[in-house]
Amino acid sequence: MNNVNERSNLSNIVDLAERSGSIASDPRNERVGELLASVRGIGTRRLMSLMGGMFDNVDDALFDLAEKAENNAVQTQYFDGMRDVRKKRPLIERSFIDMITGAFSRLAGGHRQEHGDSQNEHRGFGGAPELSLVDESDLEESLAVTSMTSKAEGRLSHSLFAVNQRLTVICGGTKVDNADNPIGPALLTRSFGEAMNELKVEVRVKLIVLKLFERYVLNNLEPLYEEINHALIQAGVLPQLRTPGAKRSNTPTRNAAGSADAQQDQEDEQDPSMLRTKLVETLQSLLAERRQSFGYANASMGNSGPSLSPAELLGALSVLQGEVARSTVSMPAQIPADTVLSAEDVRLLKEQLVRQISHLRGEAKSYVSGADEDTIDLVSMLFEYILQDHNLPMEMQVLLARLQIPYLKASILDRRLFAHANHPARRLLDELAEAAKGWSAESDRDQRLLNKVRSVVETLLSDFDDDIEVFSQQLDDFRKFLDNTNRRAQLAEQRAAEATRGREKLQQARRRAAQEILSRIDGRELPALVNGILTRAWANYLVLTLLRHGEESKEFRVGLRFVDDFVWSVGPIHGDAERARLKQLLPLLEKSLRHGLATVAFQDGDVENLMRQLNTLYNGQLNLREEPEPTAAVVEENMPIPESMEAIATPETLSETETAKPATEADSPEVQRVRALKVGTWVEFQADSERPERAKLSWISPISGKYLFVNRRGLKVADKTLEQFAAELASGQTVVLEELPLFDRALDAIVERLRNSQTESDADNAPQPNA
C-alpha cells in the first residue's frame, strides 16, 4: 500500500532541471530575456546619468545651507556632510545600481519584490509582530520617502502604468505593479534610502540629499519611461495599449464648479509635455496657413514634378552636408571676431536643396510634400533664431549654425524632435547653447570649450547619416566634458566665494573694532603712546579675537574691558582711592597687554620698549617723580608701535560702514529684478571700451549684500552692490541672459513670428472701405 502511494506521489513530481532547460531552450523566452535586458540597460544608463547630475549639485546645496546656518554647530554638520557625500559617492552609486540590477534579476526569476518594512519588524513569541518605538530620525526619513514616492507615482501615473503592463507581458504574466517595478519611484527611492546608509551624517543632511534625489532623479523619470515604452512598442509589446484616463469623452459633462474645458486647461498647464504638444500643433497649423497663404510650395519647391521620397530628400541633404563638413574642417582654429553669418545664409539652404534634388533626379522640378516643406521652413527659422540670439556669443553662433542640415535630417527621420523636450538631438543643442552662453575668449584662453563644440559640430556633419543614436553619443560625451570642466570651475568658484567672504568678515571685524575703541575714547585727549596702542596694536588684537571667537565670546568682552581700563588709567587721578585702584590695576593691564601684543606678533624687543615707556608714563600718573609730566616728549620721540601696523580704529574706517550697507529706500523695478535673480544666472557686462564679458552670479554676501560674479572657469570677474548692479541694468551696461533652454526660446519666438506674419497678411488682404 505504501509503495503504491509512493509511486503515485513520484508520478506527480516535475523535474525542475528539465523544466528550466526546456524554458531556456524556448526561443520565445530568449526573446523575453533580451527585452528585459534591454529595459534594464536603458534604466541603468539613464539612472546613472541622473544620479551623476544629482551628486554634482549636492556640494552646492550643502555649501549654500552652511552659509545660512543658524550657528556653528549646524554649519559644521553641513560641511561634514559635504565631505562624507563626496567620499562615499562611488559606493552609494554602486550600491544603488546593484539593488536595481538585483530587482531586475528577481523579476526575471518570477519573484515579486520585497517591499514594505517587514524586514525591520520586531517579532515576539510565536512570530507575532512586536510593537516598538521608532527612532524620530528614522520616522522623518520614512515620511520623506513615502511623500516623495506618492508624488512621483501620481505625476507619472500614465507612463508608469504603460511600463508596468508591458513588463507584465514580457515577464510571462507575472503581474508588475508600482511597488514591483524595478525602475518605479517606490523601489528607486527605497533603494537610494538603503544606499544612503553608507553615510554617517546627521538626519538633516540625509533629508536634504533625499530632496535632491527627488528633484534630480524622480522628477526626471518621464524620459526614461518614454524611452522604455517606445523600445517595447517597437518590439511589438502592447503597441495599442491605452492608459486609463488617457482618452477623454468628446462630450464632457459640466458641473456647478465650472466647465470641463476649464478643468482640461488647468490640467494642461500642470503637464509640460501637454503644453509642448499644443505648441507643436500650433506651429504645424501656422506653417500650413503660411504655406497656403503665400503659395510657398509653388514658389520654392515646385509641385509640377513627381513627389520626392524621404530617402531622396535625405540623399540630397547628405550631399550638401558633406560640403558643409569640408568647409567647417577648413575653418581657422580661432574664429575671426568679424565673421558674420546672416539669416539669409540660412534661408539659402532651401534653394540649394532644390538645385541638388533637380541635379540628382535629372529633372527640372521636383515636388516636396507639404509636411516636409514645413519641416524645412521650421528648421530654417530655428537656425535663423540662433544667429540672432543674444545669449550666444558670435563665435558660437557661427559654429552652431552649421548644424542646420544635420538637424533638418534628424527632423525628417524623427518627427518627435520638436515635440519631445528630451529628444537627444534637442537636448544636445540645448546643452551646447547653455555651455556657449558663458563662453568668452578671456575665460577660454586655451580654447578647450570652443574646440569641443567644434568637435561636436564636425562629428555630426561627418558621421550622421540616418542613425539618431549619434546625437545620444555626442550628448553623453559632451556632458562628460562639461562634468570635468565644471568640477574644476566649481572648486575655483568656491575659493573665490570663500576669499570674498573672508575679506568681508575682516572688514566687518575692523569696523566693529574701530567702533568699540572710538566710542570708548569718545574725543578724549590721550597720550600719543596710548592712542597708538589702542588704534593699532589693540585694534588688531580685537579684530583677530572677533574672527576667531566671535563677538559674543568671553575673549572679546575681556578685550573691551581692557580698553575701558586702559583709557581710565591715563586720565586724571583724583584722590588716594583712585591712586590705589590704579596701582592694583597696573599688573593686570600689563598682563593683558603682553598677551594681546604677542597675539598680533609683536617682537619681544618692541614689547619691552613699550613697557618701559608705559612705566614712565604711569610713574608720572602716580606722582613718583618730581616733574609733573616728564614723559610727553619721550613718548612722542620714541613711538614703539611699528609704522607698518596700520591704524584700524579711525573715523575713516567707520565711514566704510555706511557705504557697505545696501540702501533699501529705492525699490525700483531694477532693484526688484536684481533681488529676484537666482545664483547661477548669467549676465553680460558691456563696457564701452572693452570687449563684453560674460559672468555668472555665483554668490550673494549675507554680510554686505554684494553680488559676486565669476566666469566659466570659476574666476572672479566682479562684485557689485545691489544698487550698483540695478543701476547698470537700468542703463543697459549689464544685460541678464535668458535661462530658458534654446529650443524653447526659439519655438516661442517662431510661433510669435508666424502669428505676426499671419496678422499682417490678414490685414493686407482685408477689403478696403470705399472712398
Side-chain angles (χ1 to χ4, degrees), residues 638-687:
N638 294 318
M639 278 292 295
I641 311 300
E643 292 298 329
S644 60
M645 183 167 285
E646 179 187 358
I648 293 177
T650 63
E652 290 75 14
T653 306
L654 285 181
S655 67
E656 296 175 7
T657 308
E658 302 304 321
T659 58
K661 290 181 180 177
T664 55
E665 297 178 13
D667 203 19
S668 64
E670 288 78 14
V671 168
Q672 293 179 5
R673 186 182 179 193
V674 170
R675 286 192 176 123
L677 289 180
K678 298 178 181 177
V679 169
T681 301
W682 283 89
V683 301
E684 184 178 73
F685 298 121
Q686 300 175 328

Side-chain angles (χ1 to χ4, degrees), residues 697-763:
L697 175 57
S698 171
W699 177 70
I700 304 173
S701 169
I703 297 174
S704 66
K706 281 189 175 181
Y707 290 70
L708 174 67
F709 297 91
V710 299
N711 62 19
R712 61 174 301 275
R713 292 167 58 197
L715 303 180
K716 178 180 173 180
V717 173
D719 57 0
K720 300 178 182 295
T721 64
L722 183 146
E723 288 74 19
Q724 183 183 5
F725 190 21
E728 291 182 4
L729 285 180
S731 66
Q733 291 180 330
T734 299
V735 177
V736 177
L737 303 180
E738 295 187 56
E739 296 184 36
L740 201 64
L742 170 66
F743 237 97
D744 291 334
R745 296 198 313 272
L747 291 183
D748 288 341
I750 291 170
V751 167
E752 186 67 22
R753 171 181 168 182
L754 290 174
R755 281 175 172 161
N756 291 339
S757 176
Q758 188 66 38
T759 301
E760 292 173 4
S761 174
D762 292 343

Side-chain angles (χ1 to χ4, degrees), residues 163-224:
V163 173
N164 290 343
Q165 296 303 306
R166 293 188 170 101
L167 285 178
T168 298
V169 170
I170 66 176
C171 289
T174 302
K175 181 171 178 55
V176 177
D177 56 23
N178 289 350
D180 296 316
N181 191 332
I183 50 174
L187 197 140
L188 292 179
T189 308
R190 193 163 62 250
S191 298
F192 183 69
E194 292 179 20
M196 276 210 306
N197 289 333
E198 303 291 343
L199 294 178
K200 306 304 179 187
V201 297
E202 297 293 330
V203 66
R204 70 169 70 209
V205 176
K206 280 192 175 183
L207 292 175
I208 290 162
V209 178
L210 275 172
K211 189 64 180 176
L212 293 173
F213 178 79
E214 179 182 26
R215 180 186 303 174
Y216 290 99
V217 179
L218 296 186
N219 289 353
N220 291 285
L221 290 178
E222 183 74 31
L224 166 61

Side-chain angles (χ1 to χ4, degrees), residues 568 573 575-585 622:
W568 176 85
I573 301 297
D576 294 337
E578 290 189 355
R579 185 174 290 105
R581 177 190 172 193
L582 178 58
K583 287 181 180 181
Q584 188 179 8
L585 186 61
L622 296 171

